[in-house]
Amino acid sequence: MPDGAENQADIPRPDPDCLCRDCLHVWTAPAAPQNEGEASESDRRGTVLLCPACRSRRTMRHPELHRLSIAHIDCDAFYASVEKRDNPEIRDKPVIVGGGRRGVVSAACYVARMYGVRSAMPMFKALQACPDAVVIRPNMEKYAGVGREIRQMMRDATPLVQPLSIDEAFLDLTGTESLHGGSPARTLAGLVLRIERDAGVTASIGLSYNKFLAKVSSDLDKPRGFAVIGEAEAVDFLTEKPVKMIWGVGKALERKLHQDGLSTIGQLREMPLKNMIQRYGSMGERLYHFSRGIDDRKVDPTSETKSISNETTFAEDLSDFHELAHILWPLCESVARRLKKHEYSAGSVQLKLRTADFKILTRSRKLSTPTQLAEILFRQGLELLEKEADGRRYRLLGIGGADLGPPEDADVPDLADPDRDKAAKLERVMDEIREKLGSDAVIKGRSL
Amino acid sequence: MKLTIERAELLRSLNHVQSVVERRNTIPILSNVLIEASGSTLRLTATDMDIAIVESVAASIGTEGATTAPAHTLYDIVRKLPDGAQVELGKEEDRLELRSGRSRFTLQTLPTEDFPVMTGGDMPHTFNLSADILRGIVDRTRFAISTEETRYYLNGIYVHAADGIMRAVATDGHRLARVETPLPEGAEGMPGVIMPRKTVSELRKLIDESEGDVEIALSDTKVRYAFDKVELTSKLIDGTFPDYERVIPSGNTKMMQVDCKAFSNAVDRVSTIATEKMRAVKMAIAPGTMTLSASSQDSGSAVEEIEIGYDDDAIEIGFNSRYLLDISGQIESGQARFEMADASSPTIVRDVEDDSALYVLMPMRV
């Protein structure tokens, strides 16, 4: 089977269409038997394309494989994988990372998922489904550290990395062929091997010609997967897929589309652009184009973070304003610390509450002056909280800063708030003391 | 009720009262104007529960009486009637009939008993201000009123008495305007009050159509402006205005003088390029000249040089162009003085020939 092309040096050499994900060997597979209507070689059940160089079975074949350059990389069950890496004893056990008895599942390993455990599921439900699961409290600092290592490896592959969260990102590898001496597909396969080797977690790759399809395809072959959607097949591929596969179609929009008789992506294509925009606004335009496999959005390395937030689920439901306020302060401190560390200012404050019956409330407020300060987040958060602390019982409280901007815009003097400048100076002094003497060196009375 | 009135008179009065009435009302009676005819006077009243305007106008009254009718509809009808027309208003059971020339309208009415009366209550402080002074106070502060809902206490002009002067202040946190006038007789001991934005704008319309003195009466919660034939009563904003004196810098030593017309024309031109959101222009100030510039990623860049009076160290400072234009539009002598410290501290702007107004501007990063 191997080296079919070399034997036919006199006829035009077809572009290579194969890749070994273990040794990164690239070759051209011999043409599939010319039986009309029959599936291509790699699709045929039971037929495995072996790597001619290392005999590995982890090979890819796709006519556009080495021409596509927009990728989405998503780590597999990231938090759980990091925990398994650090504790080999739990490697084969179902592992759930999540908060306490009352929290929700932050991540579930693939073993736990076999029991039906899913991310964002309430912990008690997850434990009903999988009573033997090893439950680990999330250690966000550790995950963030691993996430940063992985991001750096991605940036070694291309400067155009647009992180979506701690463990996933878009990569645009256009024009990196000569730098890495190989196609984007080969660079990506090498990148995930490096992530596995150096960071100790596995990741899945989606490769296509735009962001939308790259994101869709990274989900197709999880975990440790590599899936490709080429330009030639994209429209057919999408036809029978549900509308919710489109990025931005949440529960509400999906319901609306269903009501309008649109449940598959193919059905969206039957609607004229004008109607789509009339009915669904700017989202309608996106649906129109996405349903045709068109997505012009660039991989933008600057649109990294949209908001910085922190939340906590209580040991028991709370309704008292003062108790909630007491919990709010450390959350504000942590958000402010991250705003300062990552050099952002927040232009608005968002408060999040989850009621005892699992309804989520979010309240947000635009700030007249962007901030980095825990004190300002707290004051604003408190005012928002006050309106909601009306006796309802809550199980979760969170606060975040959004509308992120450059740090220079933060906390400029406000002519209508002369005390703000003082508060800002005080907090900066406290930060300096903590920097030198540790985070507990000086605290505000309200954290006692 | 039956009366005849000249179209122009009615229109002028309706124009005053109808502008208080909100376009959308959940309480039907608030869409109506209260019409009362007695003696030889027609009284029109409108309210949104926060502000009430009562206007009296001479009319020939056939039969005394009262009713309420939709304010905007009535205003629109009268507005469309020909100049010089006579308007006849009559109440027929639960309808208001309007006749003029060959036109005839019938309007639904609501009972006068349902019309909310906004009483001023006891107003212990009374004083007079001339329409001109009042206009000067309003015009030179209102542009700085904040629209931020969360800091509702900034949504108006703060007026208070201090050492024989009356001060009016407005700020949105980015700019501040302070205007002073000698404390009028009777205003000693007046409380510090915040006049809501809508009240200020209704007041401003009334000032334009009157001369002479305006009688102002105050309590802790309400204000009443009495003109010749119109009375505007309003609730005050119940809040504490910030201690603004502390944000007015005192040690700014870099003094720059500029001709307002040349300056605002140049700012206006250069800001064409500035981004819609930030509207920032940069002022590079050196002895004798200022270079105004703006740039945006989308549209390009602009530079313009103007002459100034300045002999200190060169400084670069950025401002929101709209704020610069607002302020220079209020400087009557045509010469503005900028008092600056550095590119990140509050800057004071004054009229070189008039000490009564002071403006503070926060610079922007450019």
Tab-separated table of all heavy atoms in Angstrom, chain A residues 365 368-369 383 406 408-409 412-419, chain B residues 148 150-151 154 173-176 242-243 246-247 360 362 365:
chain	number	residue	atom	x	y	z
A	365	ARG	N	-24.572	46.460	35.568
A	365	ARG	CA	-24.602	47.907	35.687
A	365	ARG	C	-23.362	48.461	35.013
A	365	ARG	O	-22.252	47.982	35.223
A	365	ARG	CB	-24.609	48.264	37.162
A	365	ARG	CG	-24.407	49.732	37.412
A	365	ARG	CD	-24.481	50.027	38.867
A	365	ARG	NE	-25.863	50.032	39.337
A	365	ARG	CZ	-26.208	50.435	40.553
A	365	ARG	NH1	-25.276	50.827	41.392
A	365	ARG	NH2	-27.464	50.440	40.913
A	368	SER	N	-19.641	54.504	35.429
A	368	SER	CA	-19.333	55.788	34.791
A	368	SER	C	-17.832	55.864	34.505
A	368	SER	O	-17.404	56.500	33.563
A	368	SER	CB	-19.762	56.949	35.673
A	368	SER	OG	-19.130	56.872	36.924
A	369	THR	N	-17.050	55.207	35.335
A	369	THR	CA	-15.608	55.145	35.127
A	369	THR	C	-15.182	53.686	35.307
A	369	THR	O	-15.513	53.089	36.327
A	369	THR	CB	-14.889	56.016	36.179
A	369	THR	OG1	-15.443	57.321	36.137
A	369	THR	CG2	-13.414	56.073	35.922
A	383	GLU	N	-25.130	47.358	45.770
A	383	GLU	CA	-26.366	48.049	45.387
A	383	GLU	C	-27.257	47.143	44.545
A	383	GLU	O	-28.478	47.152	44.673
A	383	GLU	CB	-26.042	49.341	44.611
A	383	GLU	CG	-25.598	50.462	45.531
A	383	GLU	CD	-25.277	51.738	44.762
A	383	GLU	OE1	-25.896	51.968	43.709
A	383	GLU	OE2	-24.398	52.499	45.229
A	406	PRO	N	-8.468	48.729	28.582
A	406	PRO	CA	-7.093	48.835	29.046
A	406	PRO	C	-7.014	49.358	30.489
A	406	PRO	O	-7.895	50.100	30.912
A	406	PRO	CB	-6.464	49.836	28.072
A	406	PRO	CG	-7.600	50.607	27.520
A	406	PRO	CD	-8.792	49.695	27.531
A	408	GLU	N	-5.198	51.547	31.800
A	408	GLU	CA	-5.002	52.992	31.958
A	408	GLU	C	-6.328	53.724	32.152
A	408	GLU	O	-6.364	54.814	32.704
A	408	GLU	CB	-4.303	53.588	30.720
A	408	GLU	CG	-2.886	53.097	30.485
A	408	GLU	CD	-2.857	51.795	29.710
A	408	GLU	OE1	-3.937	51.215	29.452
A	408	GLU	OE2	-1.756	51.330	29.379
A	409	ASP	N	-7.416	53.125	31.643
A	409	ASP	CA	-8.710	53.795	31.767
A	409	ASP	C	-9.324	53.636	33.154
A	409	ASP	O	-10.328	54.260	33.464
A	409	ASP	CB	-9.709	53.219	30.740
A	409	ASP	CG	-9.364	53.658	29.337
A	409	ASP	OD1	-8.509	54.556	29.210
A	409	ASP	OD2	-9.926	53.104	28.383
A	412	VAL	N	-9.888	56.558	36.913
A	412	VAL	CA	-9.456	57.952	36.802
A	412	VAL	C	-10.363	58.739	37.746
A	412	VAL	O	-11.479	58.345	38.013
A	412	VAL	CB	-9.579	58.486	35.354
A	412	VAL	CG1	-8.640	57.752	34.450
A	412	VAL	CG2	-11.001	58.391	34.846
A	413	PRO	N	-9.878	59.865	38.263
A	413	PRO	CA	-10.676	60.605	39.231
A	413	PRO	C	-12.065	60.924	38.675
A	413	PRO	O	-12.215	61.245	37.508
A	413	PRO	CB	-9.875	61.892	39.440
A	413	PRO	CG	-8.478	61.531	39.098
A	413	PRO	CD	-8.557	60.484	38.029
A	414	ASP	N	-13.060	60.801	39.540
A	414	ASP	CA	-14.435	61.065	39.163
A	414	ASP	C	-14.855	62.339	39.881
A	414	ASP	O	-14.825	62.414	41.099
A	414	ASP	CB	-15.293	59.880	39.619
A	414	ASP	CG	-16.750	60.021	39.199
A	414	ASP	OD1	-17.231	61.164	39.083
A	414	ASP	OD2	-17.395	58.978	38.985
A	415	LEU	N	-15.223	63.355	39.111
A	415	LEU	CA	-15.547	64.648	39.700
A	415	LEU	C	-16.760	64.569	40.630
A	415	LEU	O	-16.945	65.407	41.491
A	415	LEU	CB	-15.821	65.686	38.603
A	415	LEU	CG	-14.633	65.998	37.683
A	415	LEU	CD1	-15.078	66.907	36.554
A	415	LEU	CD2	-13.505	66.646	38.464
A	416	ALA	N	-17.583	63.535	40.434
A	416	ALA	CA	-18.780	63.438	41.261
A	416	ALA	C	-18.577	62.477	42.433
A	416	ALA	O	-19.515	62.157	43.135
A	416	ALA	CB	-19.958	62.977	40.412
A	417	ASP	N	-17.378	61.986	42.594
A	417	ASP	CA	-17.129	61.011	43.651
A	417	ASP	C	-15.740	61.241	44.240
A	417	ASP	O	-14.800	60.486	43.989
A	417	ASP	CB	-17.239	59.591	43.057
A	417	ASP	CG	-17.240	58.525	44.140
A	417	ASP	OD1	-17.087	58.885	45.324
A	417	ASP	OD2	-17.406	57.339	43.792
A	418	PRO	N	-15.614	62.306	45.021
A	418	PRO	CA	-14.289	62.663	45.534
A	418	PRO	C	-13.662	61.582	46.415
A	418	PRO	O	-12.438	61.514	46.520
A	418	PRO	CB	-14.543	63.946	46.345
A	418	PRO	CG	-15.989	64.192	46.356
A	418	PRO	CD	-16.653	63.257	45.408
A	419	ASP	N	-14.492	60.716	47.017
A	419	ASP	CA	-13.928	59.677	47.887
A	419	ASP	C	-13.315	58.535	47.092
A	419	ASP	O	-12.535	57.748	47.608
A	419	ASP	CB	-15.029	59.102	48.786
A	419	ASP	CG	-15.491	60.135	49.784
A	419	ASP	OD1	-14.653	60.971	50.169
A	419	ASP	OD2	-16.678	60.111	50.149
B	148	GLU	N	-26.837	59.433	34.072
B	148	GLU	CA	-26.618	58.134	34.698
B	148	GLU	C	-27.731	57.862	35.715
B	148	GLU	O	-27.883	58.586	36.685
B	148	GLU	CB	-25.279	58.227	35.430
B	148	GLU	CG	-24.579	56.947	35.697
B	148	GLU	CD	-23.339	57.234	36.534
B	148	GLU	OE1	-22.697	58.282	36.335
B	148	GLU	OE2	-23.050	56.436	37.403
B	150	THR	N	-28.101	55.420	37.857
B	150	THR	CA	-27.742	54.898	39.172
B	150	THR	C	-27.310	56.006	40.121
B	150	THR	O	-27.497	55.907	41.313
B	150	THR	CB	-26.630	53.848	39.061
B	150	THR	OG1	-25.593	54.382	38.253
B	150	THR	CG2	-27.148	52.584	38.440
B	151	ARG	N	-26.725	57.081	39.566
B	151	ARG	CA	-26.412	58.210	40.428
B	151	ARG	C	-27.457	59.299	40.161
B	151	ARG	O	-27.157	60.339	39.580
B	151	ARG	CB	-24.985	58.695	40.159
B	151	ARG	CG	-23.958	57.626	40.553
B	151	ARG	CD	-22.583	58.216	40.726
B	151	ARG	NE	-21.935	58.485	39.469
B	151	ARG	CZ	-20.689	58.950	39.368
B	151	ARG	NH1	-20.004	59.216	40.466
B	151	ARG	NH2	-20.144	59.161	38.197
B	154	LEU	N	-27.217	63.073	40.534
B	154	LEU	CA	-26.484	63.919	39.578
B	154	LEU	C	-27.380	64.344	38.407
B	154	LEU	O	-26.945	65.076	37.529
B	154	LEU	CB	-25.271	63.173	39.016
B	154	LEU	CG	-24.207	62.710	40.004
B	154	LEU	CD1	-23.094	61.981	39.270
B	154	LEU	CD2	-23.639	63.892	40.771
B	173	GLY	N	-19.414	63.653	36.475
B	173	GLY	CA	-18.225	62.906	36.858
B	173	GLY	C	-17.044	63.185	35.945
B	173	GLY	O	-15.895	63.102	36.350
B	174	HIS	N	-17.351	63.537	34.678
B	174	HIS	CA	-16.274	63.824	33.730
B	174	HIS	C	-16.040	65.320	33.586
B	174	HIS	O	-14.962	65.772	33.232
B	174	HIS	CB	-16.602	63.241	32.359
B	174	HIS	CG	-16.910	61.781	32.409
B	174	HIS	ND1	-15.951	60.840	32.691
B	174	HIS	CD2	-18.070	61.110	32.227
B	174	HIS	CE1	-16.520	59.634	32.679
B	174	HIS	NE2	-17.793	59.781	32.403
B	175	ARG	N	-17.087	66.078	33.807
B	175	ARG	CA	-16.985	67.530	33.727
B	175	ARG	C	-17.919	68.110	34.777
B	175	ARG	O	-18.873	67.456	35.207
B	175	ARG	CB	-17.390	68.036	32.352
B	175	ARG	CG	-18.816	67.598	32.033
B	175	ARG	CD	-18.959	67.386	30.596
B	175	ARG	NE	-20.189	66.744	30.211
B	175	ARG	CZ	-20.961	67.205	29.245
B	175	ARG	NH1	-20.659	68.312	28.626
B	175	ARG	NH2	-22.024	66.531	28.881
B	176	LEU	N	-17.595	69.351	35.146
B	176	LEU	CA	-18.392	69.995	36.188
B	176	LEU	C	-18.545	71.448	35.803
B	176	LEU	O	-17.610	72.068	35.282
B	176	LEU	CB	-17.672	69.837	37.530
B	176	LEU	CG	-18.296	70.467	38.782
B	176	LEU	CD1	-18.014	69.586	39.993
B	176	LEU	CD2	-17.774	71.870	39.055
B	242	PRO	N	-22.733	65.396	45.670
B	242	PRO	CA	-21.378	65.175	46.204
B	242	PRO	C	-20.692	66.483	46.607
B	242	PRO	O	-21.050	67.566	46.151
B	242	PRO	CB	-20.649	64.496	45.054
B	242	PRO	CG	-21.492	64.682	43.855
B	242	PRO	CD	-22.889	64.891	44.310
B	243	ASP	N	-19.705	66.330	47.463
B	243	ASP	CA	-18.947	67.478	47.953
B	243	ASP	C	-18.004	67.922	46.835
B	243	ASP	O	-16.831	67.609	46.815
B	243	ASP	CB	-18.165	67.026	49.190
B	243	ASP	CG	-17.389	68.168	49.805
B	243	ASP	OD1	-17.586	69.328	49.367
B	243	ASP	OD2	-16.582	67.900	50.698
B	246	ARG	N	-14.247	69.678	46.696
B	246	ARG	CA	-12.990	68.933	46.855
B	246	ARG	C	-12.383	68.506	45.527
B	246	ARG	O	-11.205	68.162	45.465
B	246	ARG	CB	-13.222	67.710	47.743
B	246	ARG	CG	-13.261	68.080	49.219
B	246	ARG	CD	-13.840	66.968	50.053
B	246	ARG	NE	-13.223	65.680	49.799
B	246	ARG	CZ	-13.810	64.512	50.070
B	246	ARG	NH1	-15.008	64.498	50.596
B	246	ARG	NH2	-13.192	63.389	49.812
B	247	VAL	N	-13.172	68.478	44.474
B	247	VAL	CA	-12.602	68.034	43.197
B	247	VAL	C	-12.144	69.219	42.339
B	247	VAL	O	-11.542	69.018	41.287
B	247	VAL	CB	-13.591	67.164	42.374
B	247	VAL	CG1	-14.033	65.961	43.173
B	247	VAL	CG2	-14.792	67.976	41.932
B	360	VAL	N	-14.827	72.487	35.212
B	360	VAL	CA	-13.732	71.550	35.469
B	360	VAL	C	-13.892	70.391	34.489
B	360	VAL	O	-14.985	69.881	34.283
B	360	VAL	CB	-13.784	71.000	36.917
B	360	VAL	CG1	-12.569	70.124	37.189
B	360	VAL	CG2	-13.849	72.139	37.920
B	362	MET	N	-12.220	66.613	33.217
B	362	MET	CA	-11.259	65.519	33.392
B	362	MET	C	-10.616	65.231	32.045
B	362	MET	O	-11.319	65.044	31.059
B	362	MET	CB	-11.977	64.252	33.862
B	362	MET	CG	-12.095	64.088	35.364
B	362	MET	SD	-10.558	64.420	36.247
B	362	MET	CE	-9.523	63.119	35.622
B	365	ARG	N	-7.251	59.893	28.273
B	365	ARG	CA	-5.994	59.341	27.796
B	365	ARG	C	-6.037	59.371	26.258
B	365	ARG	O	-7.010	58.924	25.658
B	365	ARG	CB	-5.876	57.899	28.264
B	365	ARG	CG	-4.534	57.304	28.232
B	365	ARG	CD	-4.602	55.989	28.976
B	365	ARG	NE	-5.682	55.139	28.472
B	365	ARG	CZ	-5.559	54.366	27.420
B	365	ARG	NH1	-4.432	54.316	26.758
B	365	ARG	NH2	-6.558	53.611	27.026
